[in-house]
Amino acid sequence: MKVVLFCGGLGTRLREHSDTIPKPLVSVGSRPILWHLMRYYAHYGHKDFILCLGYRGEMIREYFLHYSEAMSNDFTLSDGGRKIELHGRDIDDWRITFVDSGLHSNIGQRLLRARKYLQGEESFLANYSDGLSDLPLDQHIEQFSGRDAVASFVAVRSNQSQPDGLVTNLGLMPDQAMWINGGYFVLRSDIFDYIKEGEELVEQPFLRLIGERKLIAYQWEGFWQCMDTFKDKITFDRMEARGTCPWVVWNKPPPGSPR
């Protein structure tokens, strides 16, 4: 399945970094949070990406245009520096489409700008580019595939969906246990029938889906963390420094394998 990533926001609450680089390029350890998210999707076999660019989108283009596998993998240098033997690879089998989706566009409009690159896709994945999780993506997709729904998102800390996952209300409730939209969308192509020009994805279109009982949520109580503020970045950096990175599912042994 193709993966649409919304990379165009201004990141105003992360001003210490977003004044100079776009939010998706803010680092977690030695790599941008965007790389971590794409590596997560690639782990589950989804390696065809569509990046919806906006604010400082040229920097994201440049990052991948000048990407060096040798800077993020072990390698052996020989022949006086003329030969490089890589001992691992990151993105050699990724396909990345870069889309200028507008400087001030909202998420719904960015998705509309990417529509032509989703022709022929019955379903696709989408996400914000500032949150990481150890969500079992294959289980989320399986749940969605077995339901008569147009859209699904990951709910973290919420009581606004029913036990069967059917979403009936998008309003906020004064409850500390409230679940919120954590992104990690699974969408059928029918979603474009619900988005009008100028609309935000999770507002009017999702309300229409609720009215038709076509919106569900995958409730996840595992790890999920977004990078909204400088404090969030410090939290990520400390986790990476300690080696406690739940989102790095690609380094975890498969279930049932010997440790």
Side-chain angles (χ1 to χ4, degrees), residues 89-163:
R89 289 188 177 275
D90 295 327
I91 71 171
D92 63 318
D93 58 349
W94 295 5
R95 185 174 187 269
I96 309 174
T97 300
F98 300 84
V99 180
D100 183 356
S101 58
L103 182 59
H104 300 291
S105 301
N106 60 36
I107 298 299
Q109 302 315 294
R110 295 191 192 284
L111 184 56
L112 287 178
R113 304 300 183 269
R115 182 176 187 176
K116 62 182 178 181
Y117 300 106
L118 292 163
Q119 295 297 322
E121 298 293 312
E122 180 180 345
S123 300
F124 60 94
L125 307 172
N127 208 345
Y128 310 116
S129 57
D130 60 357
L132 300 175
S133 177
D134 60 355
L135 166 78
L137 184 62
D138 50 352
Q139 295 179 30
H140 181 201
I141 294 172
E142 182 179 4
Q143 181 207 59
F144 176 77
S145 299
R147 301 288 295 275
D148 181 25
V150 171
S152 178
F153 63 91
V154 169
V156 291
R157 299 182 187 175
S158 172
N159 53 11
Q160 303 205 41
S161 58
Q162 297 175 329

Side-chain angles (χ1 to χ4, degrees), residues 142-196:
E142 182 179 4
Q143 181 207 59
F144 176 77
S145 299
R147 301 288 295 275
D148 181 25
V150 171
S152 178
F153 63 91
V154 169
V156 291
R157 299 182 187 175
S158 172
N159 53 11
Q160 303 205 41
S161 58
Q162 297 175 329
D164 65 356
L166 183 68
V167 179
T168 59
N169 178 21
L170 287 179
L172 298 178
M173 298 175 64
D175 189 327
Q176 291 183 347
M178 175 178 62
W179 295 72
I180 62 173
N181 167 24
Y184 290 82
F185 302 102
V186 187
L187 305 168
R188 300 195 197 280
S189 59
D190 296 347
I191 187 65
F192 292 109
D193 297 333
Y194 293 82
I195 308 174
K196 297 180 181 179

Side-chain angles (χ1 to χ4, degrees), residues 38-66:
M38 295 171 75
R39 185 66 182 82
Y40 164 87
Y41 278 108
H43 170 73
Y44 286 100
H46 307 288
K47 304 177 182 181
D48 194 340
F49 300 97
I50 300 173
L51 305 187
C52 296
L53 307 178
Y55 176 70
R56 295 190 179 272
E58 73 283 355
M59 296 185 71
I60 296 176
R61 296 175 190 261
E62 290 173 359
Y63 174 79
F64 286 104
L65 283 172
H66 301 291

Side-chain angles (χ1 to χ4, degrees), residues 237-253:
D237 284 341
R238 287 175 176 170
M239 294 176 70
E240 201 276 340
R242 293 193 302 264
T244 54
C245 306
W247 67 89
V248 184
V249 294
W250 53 91
N251 283 345
K252 297 179 180 180

